[in-house]
Amino acid sequence: MDLTPLRADADAVPYAAYAFTVDTDGEYTFSLSAQWDIDSVSILYETAFDPNDVEANAIASDDDNVSLNTSAFASDLYVGTTYVLVISGYENESFGQYHVTVGGPGLITAVPEPSTYLMLGLGLAAVGFAARRKLQH
Protein backbone atom coordinates (compact mmCIF):
# COMPACT_ATOMS: atom_id res chain seq x y z
CA MET A 1 0.00 0.00 0.00
CA ASP A 2 1.30 3.43 -0.96
CA LEU A 3 0.27 6.95 0.05
CA THR A 4 -0.72 9.98 -2.01
CA PRO A 5 -2.73 13.18 -1.57
CA LEU A 6 -6.01 12.60 -3.46
CA ARG A 7 -7.54 15.88 -2.32
CA ALA A 8 -6.36 19.19 -0.95
CA ASP A 9 -7.18 18.57 2.71
CA ALA A 10 -5.60 15.09 2.85
CA ASP A 11 -1.87 14.52 2.71
CA ALA A 12 -1.35 10.75 2.97
CA VAL A 13 -4.24 8.81 1.46
CA PRO A 14 -3.60 5.04 1.12
CA TYR A 15 -4.09 3.52 -2.32
CA ALA A 16 -3.46 0.31 -4.23
CA ALA A 17 -2.48 0.39 -7.92
CA TYR A 18 -2.75 -2.55 -10.32
CA ALA A 19 -1.12 -2.37 -13.77
CA PHE A 20 -2.59 -4.64 -16.44
CA THR A 21 -3.16 -5.18 -20.16
CA VAL A 22 -6.03 -6.81 -22.05
CA ASP A 23 -5.88 -9.47 -24.76
CA THR A 24 -9.02 -8.31 -26.63
CA ASP A 25 -10.22 -4.82 -27.59
CA GLY A 26 -13.63 -3.84 -26.23
CA GLU A 27 -15.67 -2.43 -23.39
CA TYR A 28 -14.70 -3.58 -19.90
CA THR A 29 -16.67 -2.92 -16.71
CA PHE A 30 -15.13 -2.26 -13.29
CA SER A 31 -17.00 -2.53 -10.00
CA LEU A 32 -15.62 -1.78 -6.51
CA SER A 33 -17.16 -2.64 -3.17
CA ALA A 34 -15.09 -1.25 -0.30
CA GLN A 35 -15.32 -2.47 3.30
CA TRP A 36 -14.38 0.75 5.09
CA ASP A 37 -16.66 3.46 6.49
CA ILE A 38 -15.23 6.45 4.66
CA ASP A 39 -15.80 7.33 0.97
CA SER A 40 -14.05 5.12 -1.64
CA VAL A 41 -13.14 5.72 -5.28
CA SER A 42 -11.78 3.73 -8.22
CA ILE A 43 -9.85 5.40 -11.04
CA LEU A 44 -8.58 3.93 -14.31
CA TYR A 45 -5.42 5.34 -15.89
CA GLU A 46 -3.99 4.79 -19.35
CA THR A 47 -0.23 4.13 -19.61
CA ALA A 48 0.77 5.15 -16.06
CA PHE A 49 -0.38 6.49 -12.70
CA ASP A 50 1.48 9.42 -11.14
CA PRO A 51 0.60 9.77 -7.44
CA ASN A 52 1.83 13.38 -7.55
CA ASP A 53 -0.60 14.26 -10.38
CA VAL A 54 -3.71 12.12 -9.88
CA GLU A 55 -5.50 13.68 -12.86
CA ALA A 56 -2.79 12.89 -15.45
CA ASN A 57 -3.69 9.93 -17.69
CA ALA A 58 -7.05 9.31 -15.94
CA ILE A 59 -9.60 7.91 -18.40
CA ALA A 60 -12.48 6.75 -16.16
CA SER A 61 -13.50 6.86 -12.53
CA ASP A 62 -16.46 6.58 -10.24
CA ASP A 63 -17.36 7.48 -6.71
CA ASP A 64 -20.59 6.74 -4.83
CA ASN A 65 -22.23 4.49 -7.43
CA VAL A 66 -24.83 3.04 -5.07
CA SER A 67 -23.34 4.11 -1.74
CA LEU A 68 -20.23 5.80 -0.35
CA ASN A 69 -18.38 2.49 -0.60
CA THR A 70 -19.19 1.44 -4.16
CA SER A 71 -18.09 2.57 -7.58
CA ALA A 72 -18.61 1.25 -11.08
CA PHE A 73 -17.75 2.37 -14.59
CA ALA A 74 -17.14 1.04 -18.11
CA SER A 75 -14.34 1.95 -20.49
CA ASP A 76 -13.13 0.86 -23.92
CA LEU A 77 -9.72 -0.81 -23.56
CA TYR A 78 -7.28 -1.78 -26.30
CA VAL A 79 -4.66 -4.48 -26.80
CA GLY A 80 -1.08 -3.20 -26.45
CA THR A 81 -1.91 -0.48 -23.93
CA THR A 82 -1.01 -0.62 -20.23
CA TYR A 83 -3.74 0.44 -17.81
CA VAL A 84 -3.56 1.09 -14.07
CA LEU A 85 -6.55 0.63 -11.77
CA VAL A 86 -6.23 2.63 -8.55
CA ILE A 87 -8.38 1.87 -5.50
CA SER A 88 -8.45 4.54 -2.82
CA GLY A 89 -10.50 6.99 -0.81
CA TYR A 90 -10.35 10.71 -0.15
CA GLU A 91 -9.23 10.78 3.47
CA ASN A 92 -6.04 9.66 5.23
CA GLU A 93 -8.08 6.94 7.00
CA SER A 94 -9.76 5.70 3.79
CA PHE A 95 -8.58 2.17 3.27
CA GLY A 96 -9.29 -1.42 4.19
CA GLN A 97 -10.60 -4.55 2.54
CA TYR A 98 -12.32 -4.31 -0.84
CA HIS A 99 -13.54 -6.40 -3.74
CA VAL A 100 -13.12 -5.51 -7.41
CA THR A 101 -14.90 -7.21 -10.29
CA VAL A 102 -13.76 -6.71 -13.90
CA GLY A 103 -15.79 -7.96 -16.85
CA GLY A 104 -15.23 -7.72 -20.58
CA PRO A 105 -14.69 -9.55 -23.85
CA GLY A 106 -11.17 -10.75 -23.04
CA LEU A 107 -8.70 -11.54 -20.29
CA ILE A 108 -6.67 -9.07 -18.28
CA THR A 109 -3.02 -9.79 -17.51
CA ALA A 110 -1.03 -8.20 -14.71
CA VAL A 111 2.00 -6.18 -15.77
CA PRO A 112 5.00 -7.01 -13.54
CA GLU A 113 6.76 -4.16 -11.78
CA PRO A 114 10.31 -3.37 -12.96
CA SER A 115 11.72 -4.87 -9.76
CA THR A 116 10.11 -8.19 -10.73
CA TYR A 117 12.09 -8.21 -13.98
CA LEU A 118 15.27 -7.38 -12.05
CA MET A 119 14.71 -10.29 -9.65
CA LEU A 120 13.96 -12.63 -12.57
CA GLY A 121 17.17 -11.56 -14.32
CA LEU A 122 19.24 -12.03 -11.18
CA GLY A 123 17.70 -15.45 -10.60
CA LEU A 124 18.43 -16.57 -14.16
CA ALA A 125 22.00 -15.28 -13.88
CA ALA A 126 22.49 -17.22 -10.63
CA VAL A 127 21.14 -20.42 -12.22
CA GLY A 128 23.43 -19.93 -15.22
CA PHE A 129 26.43 -19.29 -12.98
CA ALA A 130 25.69 -22.41 -10.92
CA ALA A 131 25.27 -24.55 -14.05
CA ARG A 132 28.51 -23.25 -15.54
CA ARG A 133 30.39 -23.81 -12.31
CA LYS A 134 29.07 -27.38 -12.09
CA LEU A 135 30.27 -28.10 -15.66
CA GLN A 136 33.78 -26.85 -14.80
CA HIS A 137 34.15 -29.35 -11.96
Side-chain angles (χ1 to χ4, degrees):
M1 179 174 52
D2 295 305
L3 302 174
T4 188
L6 283 179
R7 64 189 258 183
D9 60 347
D11 59 0
V13 177
Y15 71 90
Y18 303 97
F20 66 94
T21 60
V22 297
D23 70 351
T24 305
D25 293 347
E27 184 179 74
Y28 289 76
T29 58
F30 297 81
S31 175
L32 167 69
S33 176
Q35 304 300 314
W36 59 86
D37 295 333
I38 303 172
D39 204 358
S40 65
V41 63
S42 55
I43 309 166
L44 183 65
Y45 294 88
E46 185 175 42
T47 310
F49 166 62
D50 179 357
N52 297 310
D53 185 0
V54 295
E55 294 180 9
N57 304 320
I59 59 172
S61 67
D62 189 51
D63 170 31
D64 304 343
N65 181 270
V66 175
S67 69
L68 285 176
N69 295 336
T70 62
S71 61
F73 58 85
S75 186
D76 289 331
L77 305 184
Y78 303 97
V79 174
T81 302
T82 297
Y83 298 95
V84 181
L85 179 64
V86 173
I87 308 301
S88 188
Y90 293 108
E91 308 290 338
N92 290 351
E93 302 82 25
S94 299
F95 210 73
Q97 294 182 349
Y98 57 88
H99 178 81
V100 175
T101 302
V102 180
L107 300 173
I108 63 170
T109 304
V111 174
E113 295 183 13
S115 62
T116 303
Y117 288 119
L118 175 63
M119 292 301 293
L120 176 63
L122 290 173
L124 290 174
V127 169
F129 177 77
R132 184 174 178 176
R133 186 171 176 183
K134 185 176 182 179
L135 287 174
Q136 290 176 349
H137 285 87

